[in-house]
Amino acid sequence: MQTGLEKMRRELRLRHYSPKTNQNYVRCVELYLRGKGNLDFEEEHLKDFLLGKLDNGAAPETVNLYLNAVKFFYKVVVGYHGKIELRFARRNFRLPVVLSREEIQRILDGILNKKHRLLLALAYGAGLRVSEVVNLRAEDIDLSRNLIMVREGKGGKDRITLLPEKLLSELRVSVNGMAGFGILFESERGGKLTVRTAQKVFKQALRRTGIQKMASFHSLRHSFATHCLENGVDVRYVQTLLGHSNIRTTQRYTQVSQTSLNRIRSPL
C-alpha cells in the first residue's frame, strides 16, 4: 500500500496539484485502502465506503473529495481502464459569512500588533486567501501601480489584484530595505507565518470584538467581494480580482449584497 501512496504523491506533484490537495488525496486513499485487502477496484466496496462516510455525518463536499481521490488513484496510479460511473454527492449550498464594514473596522482597531493588523487589512482589502497573503513577498507588491501579484493561487494560477491605497504607507515601510525575495509577513522564528498562525490571529481578533458571526479568515475575502459589488463594481471585475474561473462562483455574493437586497421592499 505504501508503494502505491508514494507513487500517488509523485503523480500529484508532477501534475502540479497544490500541497494541500496532495495531502488530502493521499489521506483519503490511505483510509480507503485500509479496509481492503488488495488494490483491485471494486465498485460495491467504494459505494459502501462512501455511504459509510455519509452515515457518519460527513458533508457531501467531503464525500466528493474521497471519490475524486480514489478515482485519481485508480485511473492514474493503478492504471485502471474501466469506467468509474459513481456520481458526486449533491453539495450543500451555504451562503458565505460576510462581515460589515463596521465589523471589519472593529476587528482591525482591536489589533495592537502592527504586522498582524496589516496582515488582516491586506487580506480584506485585496480579497486574498489566507495562503496567498502569508506567501506574499516584497517583489509581489507594486507600490507604483497599486497592484499585488498573487503567485500560484488556488489551482496554481497567478493573478493581479488591488493594493488598497490606505495601506500604501505601511507597505512602503515594510518593503523598504527588504530584499526582492523577502517574505512580507515573516514569523518571529524566521520564515513566513503559517496559515494556522494567520487563522489564529483572526480568531483572537474576532473574539475580542464580541462579534457573534461564525466568521473565519476566509470571511475577509467574502467581505471584500460583497463590498466591491455593493460599491458598484461589475461582477466580472470582481471575478478577475478573486481569480474565479467560473462567474457563478462570484455571483453568489450578489445574494448577500446589501445593495441588492435594499432594492426590494417587503410587502408587509
Side-chain angles (χ1 to χ4, degrees):
M1 181 174 78
Q2 290 303 321
T3 302
L5 294 177
E6 285 301 321
K7 185 178 179 183
M8 183 175 182
R9 289 190 183 95
R10 183 170 178 269
E11 293 295 337
L12 286 164
R13 288 183 62 193
L14 286 172
R15 285 161 174 76
H16 203 57
Y17 280 66
S18 70
K20 184 177 180 181
T21 301
N22 193 322
Q23 181 182 0
N24 287 337
Y25 269 34
V26 172
R27 178 181 56 83
C28 289
V29 171
E30 185 175 13
L31 289 173
Y32 173 73
L33 293 177
R34 196 174 291 172
K36 287 184 94 281
N38 55 63
L39 295 182
D40 296 337
F41 175 71
E42 300 167 10
E43 186 171 303
E44 289 304 314
H45 181 85
L46 178 55
K47 286 181 180 178
D48 291 341
F49 176 79
L50 298 176
L51 286 171
K53 292 297 175 186
L54 284 172
D55 291 341
N56 288 328
E61 292 85 355
T62 303
V63 176
N64 287 337
L65 177 65
Y66 276 102
L67 179 56
N68 277 328
V70 172
K71 288 174 73 173
F72 180 92
F73 179 74
Y74 278 104
K75 291 288 187 180
V76 177
V77 180
V78 176
Y80 176 74
H81 297 296
K83 289 186 178 181
I84 302 178
E85 296 182 339
L86 290 180
R87 295 191 176 186
F88 298 109
R90 180 173 295 177
R91 299 187 178 191
N92 293 329
F93 179 78
R94 297 186 181 92
L95 289 174
V97 176
V98 175
L99 296 159
S100 69
R101 291 170 174 82
E102 293 74 21
E103 288 170 334
I104 294 286
Q105 195 60 54
R106 283 168 57 191
I107 290 171
L108 297 178
D109 288 344
I111 302 174
L112 298 179
N113 185 303
K114 290 184 178 180
K115 180 175 66 177
H116 290 169
R117 186 183 188 281
L118 180 60
L119 174 82
L120 299 192
L122 194 58
Y124 164 66
L128 300 174
R129 299 179 178 91
V130 60
S131 59
E132 293 170 347
V133 72
V134 298
N135 283 326
L136 284 176
R137 295 178 177 272
E139 63 169 344
D140 301 328
I141 308 299
D142 190 337
L143 295 169
S144 63
R145 296 194 298 158
N146 290 12
L147 297 175
I148 297 174
M149 169 62 77
V150 180
R151 303 184 189 278
E152 295 193 24
K154 189 173 182 180
K157 297 180 292 185
D158 292 350
R159 75 177 190 280
I160 293 175
T161 188
L162 306 173
L163 192 163
E165 290 186 20
K166 288 185 177 181
L167 302 180
L168 269 176
S169 58
E170 288 184 71
L171 285 169
R172 188 172 284 111
V173 172
S174 298
V175 172
N176 187 31
M178 190 181 289
F181 292 94
I183 297 168
L184 190 61
F185 296 106
E186 190 173 359
S187 71
E188 294 178 356
R189 299 179 181 179
K192 65 184 179 183
L193 283 177
T194 64
V195 166
R196 187 177 181 84
T197 298
Q199 291 169 333
K200 187 176 179 181
V201 166
F202 174 82
K203 280 296 183 183
Q204 289 174 340
L206 181 70
R207 196 178 301 120
R208 282 193 291 268
T209 64
I211 296 171
Q212 298 299 312
K213 290 180 179 178
M214 297 295 291
S216 66
F217 194 104
H218 206 68
S219 298
L220 296 173
R221 179 172 158 90
H222 292 325
S223 303
F224 166 84
T226 304
H227 296 163
C228 280
L229 290 172
E230 289 177 350
N231 287 345
V233 180
D234 186 272
V235 67
R236 293 204 175 273
Y237 286 124
V238 179
Q239 177 190 7
T240 300
L241 294 173
L242 294 175
H244 289 160
S245 57
N246 194 320
I247 189 66
R248 286 180 296 180
T249 306
T250 316
Q251 285 173 334
R252 65 180 177 155
Y253 293 110
T254 61
Q255 298 183 52
V256 288
S257 169
Q258 191 174 15
T259 303
S260 300
L261 294 176
N262 284 347
R263 293 172 182 166
I264 304 172
R265 295 296 180 187
S266 169
L268 181 62

